[in-house]
Structure formats: structure tokens, C-alpha cells
Amino acid sequence: MNNQKDKNSEDALNFSEKLSKEFLREMRLKRRWGIFFKLSFLVIIISFLFIGQLSNLKYAPEEFTGPVIGLVRIDGVIGNNVGVDYDTVSKSFKRAFKNPRLAGFIILINSPGGTPVQSSLINQLVWEYREKYPDTKIIAVVEDICASGGYYIASAAEEIYADASSLVGSIGVRLDSFGFEKAIEKLGVERRLFVAGQKKALLDPFSPLTTDDKKVTEELLADLHKTFINAVMKGRKDKLKSSQVFSGLVWTGRKSLELGLIDGLGSYKAVSEKVFSANNIVDYTEKSFALQRAFEGLKGGISNLFSNERAYLIY
């Protein structure tokens, strides 16, 4: 009897030992797979970064013989940390104009607009290079849309081209805000706001909009609109056919040509052939790592969310 008990105990001990070993084996295997997946993810991230660096190699003009036409893309929203900004565009210009064989430069625009400051800075950048390199013609070509801040930039180019179906214009300023004062009143929420400076809380979404606040805001928008109009007039004063282009409306490429907003119709390749008699186009657009840009955009959005400053002004 005792022998049977000893045998059963020994079997139970062996089973427990085997179970423990199997559990440890599974844990090691799971840990190894975890390390594998982490390393794989890291390799993918590094690969993307490496490919982003390699993409800069295609900027090398040695792949062409003779003169080259530089190109920079203004693609998407114009604004710091959310899309195209002055820093990235200026790097593209700097790299392109270092090329001694640069015969012309194209700003390829597909943008609905963006912030006043970044749009203005890029506009000034174009003028700076026009003055510094008068023999190198800078033109703008529109793809789907060139509105607001996009046109602010385009107006600095010597000539502007678009497709007949492109959308061009929207020379105006807008400010987006909301009013929640009635909502928080219904919810029984008491708003507590302390400021130093009479208008520091201008357009606070949880406070009523006063007549004076509205007047101040309208004056601000009118001042920015005037700045926008002056920038457009500087580049296209003798070409514009009607003051209605400053109404904030957008126009088709064909109608824009009639109004003097653009100089002709055509794609960037066709225009390159027409204006520069060359199609050796080198894309100097700064390539950025998508995840990095997304993170920067998210960071900027969160920062604006918790900021008291109004960040809704857009061209």
C-alpha cells in the first residue's frame, strides 16, 4: 500500500515537474516571439527612415545632361507642424539653387490654404529668390486646388498656370470659433476666467460674444485681408481684370485665366516644355518621415487645444 502511495506521489511530482518545464518553455517562447516582433517593428521603422534618406539621392541632377528644371511641391495644408511650412520649403529652394545647371524652377501647388504667417513667409521666400536669381525664372503650376494661402504663395511667382478644372483663388481670411456659453449654463457649469489685459480672452468660446469683441475681430480680419490683397497686387497688379477676385470666391482654371489670376493652362510637364523648352525636372521637395510629421501635427494640435491663444486664423 505504501509503495502505491509512493508511486502516486512520484508520478504527481513528475507531472508537476513536466508541467512546470512546459510552462517555462511556453514563457520563453512567448518572450522570444515578443522580442522578435519588437525587433521587426524596429527594423521597419529604421527602414522607413533609411528609405527617407535614400529618397534624397534622387535629387542629384547627374541623372540628366544639360540644364535641369527644379521643382518643389506645396502639397496639403500650409502651417507649422501640420503640413507644408517655411523651413521645409526654404531647404528645397536652397538645395535647388545651388545647382549651377538650374535653368528654371516650378512651384507645384495643390493646397487649400493655411496659416497667414507660413503663407507669407513662403511668399517672401519666392520674392527673395526672384531678386537674387533674376535669370532663373520661377513659375507656379496648380494641380487640383490653389486657394487662400496656396494662392498667396503662387502670386509671388513670375507666371501662374493651372488646369482648366483647377480651383483657384479664395483671396480672403476666415476665423473659426464656437460659442458654448448657453450649453454650460444648461449644464449648470460656472465659468471662472481670470485675465490681465482687457481683451486677453477675446473670442473665448465659453463667454458671450459682445458687440465690441465682434468689431475688434472684424478689424483684425480686415487687416489680414488687406495684407493678402497687397501681396497679390505686388505680383499680379497689371494682370488682374476685376476686383471681384478679392471676394473670397474660388474660380475654375478657365475662369481664373479670364480674371487674370493665372497666365495659362496646362500641366507642369507641358508648362515646363512651353516655358523652359526642357523637361529634365528634378524634384527638390523635402521628404519627411510620415510618422514624424503625424506626431508633430498631433503635438501641435494638443498644444493649441490647451492654449488660450486663438489659433483659428487661416487664409
Side-chain angles (χ1 to χ4, degrees):
M1 189 71 175
N2 289 334
N3 290 337
Q4 185 64 35
K5 287 183 178 181
D6 291 341
K7 187 176 185 306
N8 289 339
S9 298
E10 185 178 351
D11 289 342
L13 185 62
N14 290 337
F15 177 77
S16 177
E17 186 178 350
K18 288 179 181 179
L19 187 63
S20 298
K21 288 181 179 180
E22 185 64 23
F23 176 76
L24 289 174
R25 190 182 72 82
E26 289 292 335
M27 289 296 292
R28 290 193 191 101
L29 189 61
K30 185 176 181 181
R31 187 164 55 248
R32 286 170 187 167
W33 275 111
I35 295 171
F36 172 76
F37 284 120
K38 289 177 182 177
L39 287 175
S40 298
F41 182 73
L42 183 62
V43 169
I44 291 171
I45 296 295
I46 293 173
S47 298
F48 271 117
L49 290 171
F50 183 65
I51 291 170
Q53 292 298 320
L54 283 181
S55 64
N56 291 330
L57 297 178
K58 79 169 192 161
Y59 299 137
E62 286 74 15
E63 59 188 276
F64 299 121
T65 58
V68 299
I69 309 303
L71 180 144
V72 62
R73 298 175 184 271
I74 307 295
D75 193 5
V77 177
I78 303 161
N80 195 20
N81 288 337
V82 296
V84 181
D85 59 22
Y86 168 80
D87 287 338
T88 55
V89 175
S90 62
K91 289 176 183 177
S92 299
F93 268 78
K94 186 176 181 180
R95 192 167 57 250
F97 280 82
K98 279 184 178 181
N99 182 0
R101 293 193 283 122
L102 189 71
F105 196 73
I106 297 172
I107 306 171
L108 187 60
I109 302 174
N110 187 19
S111 172
T115 65
V117 173
Q118 293 300 315
S119 302
S120 177
L121 288 174
I122 299 174
N123 173 283
Q124 294 172 48
L125 177 72
V126 178
W127 278 109
E128 177 187 330
Y129 275 85
R130 280 185 61 176
E131 292 166 4
K132 190 174 181 179
Y133 301 93
D135 296 330
T136 305
K137 196 170 188 177
I138 301 176
I139 67 171
V141 180
V142 180
E143 291 192 310
D144 296 305
I145 184 170
C146 178
S148 295
Y151 192 79
Y152 197 119
I153 295 169
S155 66
E158 293 180 57
E159 295 177 1
I160 306 174
Y161 295 85
D163 184 83
S165 299
S166 298
L167 295 178
V168 181
S170 188
I171 301 173
V173 192
R174 60 180 286 178
L175 184 149
D176 296 333
S177 186
F178 299 91
F180 295 106
E181 70 276 8
K182 292 182 180 179
I184 64 172
E185 183 180 345
K186 289 181 178 179
L187 292 171
V189 178
E190 180 185 357
R191 172 67 164 153
R192 296 173 182 174
L193 176 65
F194 305 93
V195 298
Q198 187 178 0
K199 293 296 180 182
K200 183 62 179 177
L202 181 69
L203 296 184
D204 175 70
F206 300 103
S207 301
L209 178 65
T210 67
T211 302
D212 191 46
D213 285 350
K214 184 178 179 182
K215 181 182 177 182
V216 170
T217 303
E218 289 173 344
E219 289 175 353
L220 173 64
L221 295 178
D223 188 31
L224 286 170
H225 192 204
K226 183 179 179 180
T227 301
F228 194 168
I229 291 172
N230 289 340
V232 173
M233 290 294 287
K234 180 181 178 181
R236 305 202 56 85
K237 182 178 180 180
D238 299 328
K239 298 179 179 181
L240 297 175
K241 307 290 175 42
S242 172
S243 61
Q244 65 178 317
V245 298
F246 302 124
S247 66
L249 290 174
V250 292
W251 318 89
T252 65
R254 195 176 302 281
K255 185 64 176 178
S256 297
L257 183 59
E258 295 177 14
L259 294 171
L261 286 167
I262 65 174
D263 300 286
L265 302 174
S267 66
Y268 76 94
K269 291 183 179 179
V271 170
S272 181
E273 287 277 7
K274 176 183 176 181
V275 177
F276 302 117
S277 299
N279 60 3
N280 291 341
I281 299 174
V282 179
D283 190 342
Y284 286 94
T285 308
E286 279 285 303
K287 302 297 187 296
S288 59
F289 188 39
L291 287 178
Q292 178 185 349
R293 296 296 295 175
F295 175 74
E296 289 174 352
L298 178 62
K299 182 175 65 175
I302 293 173
S303 176
N304 288 334
L305 181 64
F306 292 100
S307 172
N308 286 329
E309 303 303 325
R310 305 282 73 79
Y312 312 112
L313 282 165
I314 59 173
Y315 276 154

